[in-house]
Coordinates of all heavy atoms in Angstrom, one line a residue:
R1 N 6.2 -17.5 -3.7 CA 6.7 -16.1 -4.1 C 5.5 -15.2 -4.5 O 5.5 -14.0 -4.1 CB 7.7 -16.1 -5.3 CG 9.0 -16.6 -4.8 CD 10.1 -16.4 -5.8 NE 11.2 -17.2 -5.6 CZ 11.6 -18.3 -6.5 NH1 11.0 -18.3 -7.6 NH2 12.5 -19.1 -6.1
A2 N 4.6 -15.7 -5.3 CA 3.4 -14.9 -5.6 C 2.6 -14.5 -4.4 O 2.1 -13.4 -4.3 CB 2.5 -15.7 -6.6
Y3 N 2.5 -15.4 -3.4 CA 1.8 -15.1 -2.2 C 2.5 -14.1 -1.4 O 2.0 -13.1 -0.9 CB 1.7 -16.4 -1.4 CG 1.1 -16.2 0.0 CD1 -0.4 -16.0 0.2 CD2 1.9 -16.1 1.1 CE1 -0.9 -15.8 1.4 CE2 1.3 -15.9 2.4 CZ 0.0 -15.7 2.5 OH -0.5 -15.5 3.7
Q4 N 4.0 -14.1 -1.4 CA 4.7 -13.1 -0.7 C 4.6 -11.7 -1.4 O 4.4 -10.8 -0.7 CB 6.2 -13.6 -0.7 CG 6.5 -14.8 0.2 CD 8.0 -15.3 0.1 OE1 8.5 -15.0 -0.9 NE2 8.3 -15.9 1.2
R5 N 4.6 -11.8 -2.6 CA 4.4 -10.5 -3.4 C 3.0 -9.9 -3.1 O 2.9 -8.6 -2.9 CB 4.6 -10.7 -4.9 CG 6.0 -10.8 -5.4 CD 6.2 -10.6 -6.9 NE 5.5 -11.6 -7.6 CZ 6.1 -12.9 -7.9 NH1 7.3 -13.1 -7.5 NH2 5.3 -13.8 -8.5
R6 N 1.9 -10.8 -3.1 CA 0.6 -10.2 -2.7 C 0.6 -9.7 -1.4 O 0.0 -8.7 -1.0 CB -0.5 -11.4 -2.9 CG -0.8 -11.6 -4.3 CD -2.1 -12.5 -4.4 NE -2.0 -13.7 -3.7 CZ -1.5 -14.9 -4.2 NH1 -1.0 -14.9 -5.4 NH2 -1.5 -15.9 -3.4
Q7 N 1.3 -10.4 -0.4 CA 1.3 -10.0 1.0 C 2.1 -8.6 1.1 O 1.6 -7.8 1.8 CB 1.9 -11.0 1.9 CG 1.1 -12.3 2.1 CD -0.2 -11.8 2.7 OE1 -1.3 -11.9 2.0 NE2 -0.3 -11.5 3.9
L8 N 3.1 -8.4 0.4 CA 3.9 -7.2 0.3 C 3.0 -6.1 -0.2 O 3.1 -5.0 0.4 CB 5.2 -7.5 -0.4 CG 6.1 -6.2 -0.6 CD1 6.6 -5.9 0.8 CD2 7.3 -6.6 -1.4
A9 N 2.4 -6.3 -1.3 CA 1.6 -5.3 -2.0 C 0.5 -4.9 -1.0 O 0.1 -3.7 -0.9 CB 0.9 -5.9 -3.2
A10 N -0.1 -5.9 -0.2 CA -1.2 -5.6 0.7 C -0.7 -4.8 1.9 O -1.3 -3.8 2.3 CB -1.8 -6.9 1.3
S11 N 0.6 -5.0 2.2 CA 1.2 -4.2 3.3 C 1.4 -2.7 2.8 O 1.2 -1.8 3.6 CB 2.6 -4.9 3.7 OG 2.4 -6.1 4.4
V12 N 1.9 -2.6 1.6 CA 2.2 -1.3 1.1 C 0.8 -0.5 0.9 O 0.6 0.6 1.4 CB 2.8 -1.3 -0.3 CG1 3.0 0.0 -0.9 CG2 4.2 -1.9 -0.1
R13 N -0.3 -1.2 0.4 CA -1.5 -0.6 0.4 C -2.1 -0.1 1.7 O -2.7 0.9 1.9 CB -2.6 -1.5 -0.3 CG -2.5 -1.5 -1.9 CD -3.6 -2.2 -2.6 NE -3.9 -3.5 -2.0 CZ -3.4 -4.6 -2.5 NH1 -2.5 -4.4 -3.6 NH2 -3.6 -5.8 -2.1
Q14 N -1.8 -1.0 2.7 CA -2.3 -0.8 4.1 C -1.6 0.5 4.6 O -2.2 1.3 5.2 CB -2.1 -2.0 5.0 CG -2.4 -1.7 6.4 CD -4.0 -1.5 6.6 OE1 -4.8 -2.0 5.8 NE2 -4.3 -0.9 7.7
A15 N -0.3 0.4 4.3 CA 0.5 1.7 4.8 C 0.0 2.9 4.2 O -0.1 4.0 4.9 CB 2.0 1.4 4.5
I16 N -0.2 2.9 2.9 CA -0.7 4.1 2.1 C -2.0 4.5 2.7 O -2.3 5.7 2.9 CB -0.7 3.8 0.6 CG1 0.7 3.7 0.1 CG2 -1.5 4.9 -0.1 CD1 0.8 3.3 -1.4
S17 N -2.9 3.5 2.9 CA -4.2 3.9 3.5 C -4.3 4.5 4.9 O -5.1 5.3 5.2 CB -5.2 2.7 3.4 OG -4.8 1.8 4.5
Q18 N -3.1 4.3 5.6 CA -3.0 4.9 6.9 C -2.5 6.4 6.8 O -2.4 7.1 7.9 CB -2.1 4.1 7.8 CG -2.7 2.7 8.2 CD -1.8 1.9 8.9 OE1 -0.5 2.2 9.0 NE2 -2.2 0.7 9.2
L19 N -2.0 6.7 5.6 CA -1.6 8.2 5.6 C -2.7 9.1 5.6 O -3.9 8.7 5.1 CB -0.7 8.4 4.3 CG 0.5 7.6 4.0 CD1 1.0 7.9 2.5 CD2 1.6 8.1 5.0
S20 N -2.5 10.4 6.0 CA -3.6 11.3 6.0 C -4.0 11.5 4.5 O -3.1 11.4 3.7 CB -3.2 12.6 6.6 OG -2.3 13.3 5.9
P21 N -5.2 12.0 4.3 CA -5.6 12.2 2.8 C -4.6 13.2 2.2 O -4.4 13.1 1.0 CB -7.0 12.7 2.9 CG -7.5 12.2 4.2 CD -6.4 12.0 5.1
K22 N -4.2 14.2 2.9 CA -3.3 15.3 2.4 C -2.0 14.6 1.9 O -1.3 15.3 1.0 CB -3.0 16.3 3.4 CG -4.1 17.3 3.5 CD -3.8 18.5 4.4 CE -5.0 19.4 4.5 NZ -4.6 20.7 5.1
L23 N -1.5 13.6 2.5 CA -0.3 12.9 2.0 C -0.6 11.7 1.1 O 0.2 11.5 0.2 CB 0.5 12.4 3.2 CG 0.9 13.4 4.3 CD1 1.7 12.8 5.4 CD2 1.7 14.5 3.7
R24 N -1.7 11.1 1.3 CA -2.1 10.0 0.4 C -2.4 10.4 -1.1 O -1.9 9.7 -2.0 CB -3.3 9.3 1.0 CG -3.7 8.0 0.4 CD -4.7 7.2 1.0 NE -5.0 7.6 2.3 CZ -6.2 7.6 2.9 NH1 -7.3 7.2 2.2 NH2 -6.4 7.9 4.2
L25 N -3.1 11.5 -1.2 CA -3.5 11.9 -2.6 C -2.3 12.2 -3.4 O -2.2 11.7 -4.5 CB -4.5 13.0 -2.6 CG -5.9 12.5 -2.2 CD1 -6.9 13.7 -1.9 CD2 -6.5 11.7 -3.4
P26 N -1.3 13.0 -2.9 CA -0.1 13.3 -3.8 C 0.6 11.9 -4.2 O 1.0 11.8 -5.3 CB 0.8 14.2 -3.1 CG -0.2 14.9 -2.0 CD -1.3 13.7 -1.9
I27 N 0.7 11.1 -3.2 CA 1.4 9.7 -3.4 C 0.7 8.9 -4.6 O 1.3 8.5 -5.5 CB 1.5 8.9 -2.2 CG1 2.3 9.5 -1.1 CG2 1.9 7.5 -2.5 CD1 3.8 9.4 -1.2
L28 N -0.6 8.9 -4.4 CA -1.4 8.2 -5.5 C -1.3 8.9 -6.9 O -1.2 8.1 -7.9 CB -2.8 8.0 -5.0 CG -3.1 7.2 -3.8 CD1 -4.6 7.2 -3.4 CD2 -2.5 5.8 -4.0
L29 N -1.4 10.1 -7.0 CA -1.4 10.9 -8.2 C 0.0 10.8 -8.8 O 0.1 10.6 -10.0 CB -1.8 12.2 -8.0 CG -3.3 12.5 -7.6 CD1 -3.5 14.0 -7.4 CD2 -4.2 12.1 -8.7

């Protein structure tokens, strides 16, 4: 389960990193 959560978190981080900076920065803030 911990591995699955890490993989899920990595997928979310990857998806966020693919957003344009104009969309990524408001999401992060």
Side-chain angles (χ1 to χ4, degrees):
R1 281 193 206 118
Y3 175 78
Q4 288 172 340
R5 282 193 298 272
R6 284 194 305 273
Q7 290 302 104
L8 180 62
S11 295
V12 172
R13 279 194 305 274
Q14 176 68 23
I16 291 171
S17 74
Q18 292 172 355
L19 295 174
S20 71
K22 283 188 177 191
L23 300 181
R24 190 177 334 150
L25 283 167
I27 294 281
L28 295 175
L29 292 173

